[in-house]
């Protein structure tokens, strides 16, 4: 009866952070060696040195631009990774809270079961009624069958009186088969005979009564029952008056 099912929702997976872009690097400027004429003639030397300086300044500008773009890209990645981390932490906190509530509910219900079991072993009347109710509700019946019953326990004689609501005849299927009439192009129902329905209905009521008594006695683990009295009641509509009757 105790639910030991693990928390069904899987733990949120930690997201993979975005990779940082490669760092900006400075473009090296080639070293230029002056020729003899360039060293000897000042205008030539000045022109070469100016060209070298311009290349260095251009390389520096390119580096600063690349460095700025890299920093912006890093900031965007850091911001996104921070958002992913915060979102994951929020999901994880919610998951842990739900898991804790799920486990606490399991422990609460397990404690209730232990308490009921302890009272049942002591033959507490409320616990006995809850146990008999549980036994009968575990029985599988068609959906149209009523599942209503009440108990009256006589402790002196260990007798259980069961007031049981039984299905009326309309709960039984009345159609034996469905045939297709080709000449009319339609389906035709073939119904069971009234005599067959009456016999089958009586058998169903007998079987419900016997099954109920058997299940109650067979499940008695504390010797609380020596006998079971079954009183079955059927709710139906009286054809002559159209009134609901219980008999």
């Amino acid at each position: 009866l105790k639910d030991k099912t693990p928390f069904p929702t899987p733990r949120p997976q930690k997201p993979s952070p975005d990779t940082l872009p490669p760092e900006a690097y400075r473009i090296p400027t080639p070293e230029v060696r002056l020729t003899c004429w360039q060293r000897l003639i000042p205008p030539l030397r000045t022109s070469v040195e100016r060209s070298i300086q311009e290349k260095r300044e251009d390389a520096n500008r390119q580096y600063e631009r690349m460095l700025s773009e890299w920093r912006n890209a890093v900031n965007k990645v850091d911001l996104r990774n921070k958002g992913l981390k915060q979102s994951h932490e929020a999901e994880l906190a919610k998951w842990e809270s739900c898991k804790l509530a799920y486990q606490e509910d399991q422990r609460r219900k397990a404690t209730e079961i232990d308490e009921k079991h302890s009272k049942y072993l002591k033959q507490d009347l409320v616990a006995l009624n809850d146990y008999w109710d549980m036994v009968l509700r575990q029985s599988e019946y068609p959906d149209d069958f009523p599942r209503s019953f009440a108990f009256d326990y006589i402790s002196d004689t260990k007798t259980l009186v069961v007031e049981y609501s039984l299905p009326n005849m309309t709960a039984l299927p009345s159609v034996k088969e469905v045939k297709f009439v080709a000449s009319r192009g339609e389906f035709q129902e073939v119904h069971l005979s009234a005599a067959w329905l009456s016999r089958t209905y009586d058998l169903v009521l007998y079987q419900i009564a016997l099954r109920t008594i058997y299940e109650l006695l067979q499940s008695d683990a504390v010797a609380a029952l020596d006998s079971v009295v079954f009183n079955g009641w059927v709710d139906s509509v009286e054809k002559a008056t159209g009134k609901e009757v219980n008999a």
Side-chain angles (χ1 to χ4, degrees):
L1 296 178
K2 294 182 181 180
D3 182 13
K4 298 181 180 179
T5 307
F7 185 53
T9 305
R11 180 187 179 93
Q13 296 294 319
K14 186 176 182 179
S16 300
D18 289 353
T19 305
L20 292 174
E23 188 173 354
Y25 61 93
R26 189 182 298 274
I27 301 175
T29 54
E31 294 185 4
V32 178
R33 292 184 179 183
L34 299 175
T35 64
C36 293
W37 290 107
Q38 289 171 341
R39 285 197 298 269
L40 293 174
I41 303 173
L44 291 178
R45 179 171 183 168
T46 301
S47 176
V48 172
E49 289 176 347
R50 186 184 299 114
S51 176
I52 294 173
Q53 182 62 28
E54 288 175 353
K55 290 181 179 179
R56 286 175 179 171
E57 291 175 354
D58 183 61
N60 287 335
R61 284 193 297 270
Q62 290 188 44
Y63 172 72
E64 292 298 329
R65 178 179 56 80
M66 293 171 61
L67 183 62
S68 177
E69 292 175 352
W70 174 78
R71 287 172 177 167
N72 290 335
V74 168
N75 289 336
K76 290 181 180 179
V77 171
D78 286 341
L79 186 62
R80 172 170 167 74
N81 287 341
K82 183 178 180 181
L84 290 174
K85 181 180 179 182
Q86 291 176 344
S87 177
H88 172 67
E89 289 175 348
E91 290 180 1
L92 187 60
K94 182 179 179 181
W95 178 84
E96 290 176 344
S97 176
C98 293
K99 180 182 179 181
L100 180 62
Y102 177 85
Q103 293 173 336
E104 288 178 348
D105 185 62
Q106 280 185 319
R107 286 192 290 269
R108 178 184 59 79
K109 290 180 179 178
T111 301
E112 290 177 357
I113 291 173
D114 289 337
E115 291 175 352
K116 287 183 178 181
H117 182 253
S118 177
K119 291 179 180 180
Y120 172 74
L121 294 178
K122 296 175 182 178
Q123 297 192 17
D124 176 82
L125 184 56
V126 174
L128 287 173
N129 275 269
D130 289 343
Y131 180 74
W132 295 326
D133 184 90
M134 179 197 67
V135 169
L136 294 188
R137 292 196 183 281
Q138 287 182 341
S139 302
E140 294 184 2
Y141 285 103
D143 294 337
D144 293 339
F145 281 33
R147 304 302 300 273
S148 176
F149 35 77
F151 306 109
D152 184 16
Y153 181 60
I154 306 172
S155 58
D156 293 340
T157 58
K158 294 187 176 183
T159 300
L160 178 63
V161 180
V162 183
E163 304 290 340
Y164 201 104
S165 181
L166 293 166
N168 56 42
M169 192 175 293
T170 60
L172 296 182
S174 61
V175 178
K176 181 180 180 180
E177 61 180 328
V178 177
K179 293 182 177 180
F180 179 72
V181 182
S183 60
R184 298 200 301 267
E186 61 183 25
F187 291 96
Q188 180 179 355
E189 293 182 347
V190 179
H191 290 269
L192 296 163
S193 67
W196 186 93
L197 282 174
S198 180
R199 290 194 306 271
T200 303
Y201 180 65
D202 287 343
L203 288 174
V204 169
L205 298 187
Y206 296 147
Q207 289 172 2
I208 292 176
L210 292 174
R211 177 179 180 177
T212 300
I213 295 171
Y214 169 78
E215 289 177 341
L216 290 169
L217 291 174
Q218 190 271 339
S219 62
D220 181 25
V222 292
L225 299 178
D226 283 343
S227 60
V228 175
V229 177
F230 183 93
N231 293 328
W233 301 92
V234 179
D235 292 325
S236 60
V237 177
E238 195 174 53
K239 293 184 178 179
T241 63
K243 295 181 179 180
E244 292 186 358
V245 295
N246 180 268

